[in-house]
Amino acid sequence: MLANIYLHYILDLWFERKVKGQLKGFTQLIRYADDFVVCFQSEREAKEFGGALVQRLGKFGLKIAEDKSHIIEFGRYVWQKAQQQGRKVATFDFLGFTHYCDKTRKGAFKLGRKTARKKFAMKLKELNQWMKKVRNLIELKEWWQVLRLKLIGHYRYYGISGNMSSMRAYYAQALRLAHKWINRRSQKKSYNWQQFLKFVRYNPLPLPKIYHLTYTLSSY
């Protein structure tokens, strides 16, 4: 909340009221808390903005995370050119997703999104630590219900068009983790993989689901 309030005045209003008026090409700022992406039509204007941004933030004692900040070519026209030259277009991570240039079944350009590798690994690590901690604290039937809610929460955030493969991978890993920690409970019955799958069949976990149909919103 503090980041939103602070950067609203330092970044958002400055960008809208001062920066935009000095640019000739299309530009747009997309920000969430202290994470943001700025789109430019002109590479020159993008580089000029980078320098101005450092100075602007410096006035308020803020700095850009240089290891996370860079200028890349991205979008429809860059992708079309790369297709002709047989090369790939750079990707970028934003809000837990890797954004990349993709194509529709008819071969047209579309924006692709998938769970970022680092975020995928972090979420599995958190799930693993939670199962390890809870397995001997409460009964299996109780934490199994919490696991169901955790999976639904994951799907509701990452369930965006084009990301089904990553969510299926997350579901598969969650099953493996559950099987591991069920078998490491103190003085409790163990399950081999087939017995565990039978348990899951009678106590199903929610399957991956797309909640955000972004491609259907396009007008072309």
Side-chain angles (χ1 to χ4, degrees), residues 9 16 36 69 93 100 114 182 213:
Y9 292 98
E16 289 293 329
F36 60 92
S69 304
D93 290 352
Y100 61 98
K114 61 183 178 181
I182 282 177
L213 302 173

Side-chain angles (χ1 to χ4, degrees), residues 15-16 20 23 25-30 37-41:
F15 183 81
E16 289 293 329
K20 271 192 171 182
L23 303 178
F26 169 83
T27 182
Q28 185 175 358
L29 168 68
I30 305 97
V37 171
V38 191
C39 306
F40 294 91
Q41 186 175 351

Side-chain angles (χ1 to χ4, degrees), residues 10-55:
I10 294 174
L11 180 60
D12 300 350
L13 294 182
W14 169 70
F15 183 81
E16 289 293 329
R17 296 176 179 179
K18 188 172 182 178
V19 175
K20 271 192 171 182
Q22 300 175 352
L23 303 178
K24 295 181 179 180
F26 169 83
T27 182
Q28 185 175 358
L29 168 68
I30 305 97
R31 181 181 66 81
Y32 182 83
D34 61 348
D35 200 2
F36 60 92
V37 171
V38 191
C39 306
F40 294 91
Q41 186 175 351
S42 166
E43 181 180 357
R44 176 184 60 80
E45 291 182 342
K47 292 180 178 179
E48 291 177 351
F49 172 78
L53 179 62
V54 171
Q55 295 181 4

Side-chain angles (χ1 to χ4, degrees), residues 2 9 17 24-25 36 50 52 63 68 70 81 84 87 89 96 110-111 119 127 146 169 177 180 192 204 212:
L2 289 176
Y9 292 98
R17 296 176 179 179
K24 295 181 179 180
F36 60 92
K63 293 182 179 179
K68 299 180 180 179
H70 50 277
K81 186 177 180 179
Q84 297 172 356
R87 61 181 177 85
V89 180
K110 73 175 181 180
L111 174 63
K119 187 64 67 172
L127 190 63
V146 179
L177 290 174
K180 179 180 74 171
N192 61 36
H212 312 288

Side-chain angles (χ1 to χ4, degrees), residues 52-77:
L53 179 62
V54 171
Q55 295 181 4
R56 174 67 177 177
L57 296 181
K59 292 181 179 180
F60 301 91
L62 301 177
K63 293 182 179 179
I64 287 289
E66 296 184 1
D67 60 322
K68 299 180 180 179
S69 304
H70 50 277
I71 297 175
I72 65 170
E73 288 186 319
F74 191 87
R76 182 189 309 276
Y77 300 113

Side-chain angles (χ1 to χ4, degrees), residues 201-217:
R201 187 163 62 249
Y202 287 100
N203 302 274
L205 292 172
L207 297 173
K209 177 181 177 181
I210 298 297
Y211 284 90
H212 312 288
L213 302 173
T214 55
Y215 296 151
T216 62
L217 299 179

